[in-house]
Amino acid sequence: DTEVTQTPKHLVMGMTNKKSLKCEQHMGHRAMYWYKQKAKKPPELMFVYSYEKLSINESVPSRFSPECPNSSLLNLHLHALQPEDSALYLCASSQVGGGLATDTQYFGPGTRLTVL
Amino acid sequence: ILNVEQSPQSLHVQEGDSTNFTCSFPSSNFYALHWYRWETAKSPEALFVMTLNGDEKKKGRISATLNTKEGYSYLYIKGSQPEDSATYLCASYAGNNRKLIWGLGTSLAVNP
């Protein structure tokens, strides 16, 4: 199984809602990533988990809260988002993480988030 | 701060044409260069990881070369097919920040 799955595919939420994005991989990878991508911009790294511990937080606002319950699952909890947070949220995993330059990241198809 | 640039921004070719595009990255403190292919509504798919100056990698009709001294990589597609239509992204690994720095991509459309 070389797939990274993400749910839901689309999410529309109000600014007062609480929602979660989910990501799952069964490749035995030990690093997982959240990216945010806005139209006509490159993917922007948000968080990296390595061996289930948060290793990188790219100064993301606290209204985004990541969680890694185990090595196969990665969640992104959303609360009090702003309309400018509307974007495609991509999850990825890699075999090792931990700053290995050649570690290939495998991506899910993303969740298209719209904040009203 | 690293800047990774890709050109052209978009490209339209006819089926059967061969094509190439460029990824430029800072040559100092280079670690690795990643190429991805991203079809609409699908997951970005890893194509190549390249580290050595002069390296050339091939996957079917797609190949890539790397020049770390001058800071560029070329991606070539031989005999383009409509299924090659996608955005091709490159990313350079920034060792100081332990993350990939992405270009904006080249959007390729192959007309049948």
Side-chain angles (χ1 to χ4, degrees):
Chain A
D1 185 0
T2 58
E3 199 178 359
V4 176
T5 58
Q6 289 188 243
T7 55
K9 287 187 178 179
H10 300 274
L11 179 63
V12 179
M13 59 186 290
M15 289 190 285
T16 58
N17 291 159
K18 282 186 181 181
K19 295 286 185 183
S20 297
L21 309 185
K22 295 184 185 304
C23 175
E24 193 165 358
Q25 58 88 13
H26 294 288
M27 293 179 276
H29 289 174
R30 304 315 300 265
M32 295 187 80
Y33 309 74
W34 280 116
Y35 285 88
K36 172 182 175 179
Q37 199 216 11
K38 299 199 73 130
K40 300 192 188 302
K41 294 280 181 79
E44 180 186 335
L45 185 66
M46 300 174 73
F47 302 105
V48 182
Y49 273 83
S50 184
Y51 294 87
E52 299 165 44
K53 292 191 188 308
L54 184 64
S55 62
I56 295 178
N57 176 341
E58 289 285 309
S59 302
V60 179
S62 60
R63 57 186 184 268
F64 295 92
S65 175
E67 180 197 15
C68 189
N70 60 58
S71 59
S72 299
L73 292 173
L74 185 66
N75 298 322
L76 187 63
H77 303 297
L78 314 172
H79 174 54
L81 294 194
Q82 304 297 310
E84 59 265 28
D85 296 321
S86 299
L88 180 70
Y89 288 83
L90 290 161
C91 173
S93 70
S94 68
Q95 196 163 8
V96 175
L100 183 63
T102 55
D103 205 16
T104 296
Q105 294 180 24
Y106 295 82
F107 285 84
T111 293
R112 178 71 62 187
L113 174 68
T114 303
V115 182
L116 300 175
Chain B
I1 298 176
L2 289 177
N3 273 326
V4 175
E5 296 180 356
Q6 293 188 245
S7 62
Q9 191 174 351
S10 65
L11 198 52
H12 292 256
V13 301
Q14 289 299 122
E15 183 175 355
D17 288 350
S18 293
T19 186
N20 65 85
F21 20 94
T22 307
C23 172
S24 301
F25 52 88
S27 55
S28 60
N29 206 28
F30 172 80
Y31 284 80
L33 195 282
H34 296 246
W35 278 103
Y36 283 81
R37 166 196 149 94
W38 195 357
E39 283 183 70
T40 303
K42 293 192 177 179
S43 308
E45 174 196 352
L47 290 173
F48 307 113
V49 181
M50 308 177 80
T51 56
L52 299 176
N53 186 46
D55 203 6
E56 181 170 347
K57 298 229 171 172
K58 192 174 180 182
K59 186 175 183 177
R61 292 178 293 98
I62 304 177
S63 60
T65 60
L66 181 68
N67 183 322
T68 61
K69 294 185 178 179
E70 295 181 44
Y72 64 84
S73 175
Y74 293 137
L75 190 82
Y76 299 91
I77 303 179
K78 185 177 177 182
S80 303
Q81 299 296 308
E83 57 265 31
D84 296 328
S85 298
T87 296
Y88 291 83
L89 289 158
C90 68
S92 181
Y93 185 82
N96 291 344
N97 297 317
R98 296 183 296 139
K99 66 180 183 181
L100 292 175
I101 305 298
W102 295 82
L104 285 172
T106 292
S107 175
L108 173 67
V110 182
N111 300 317

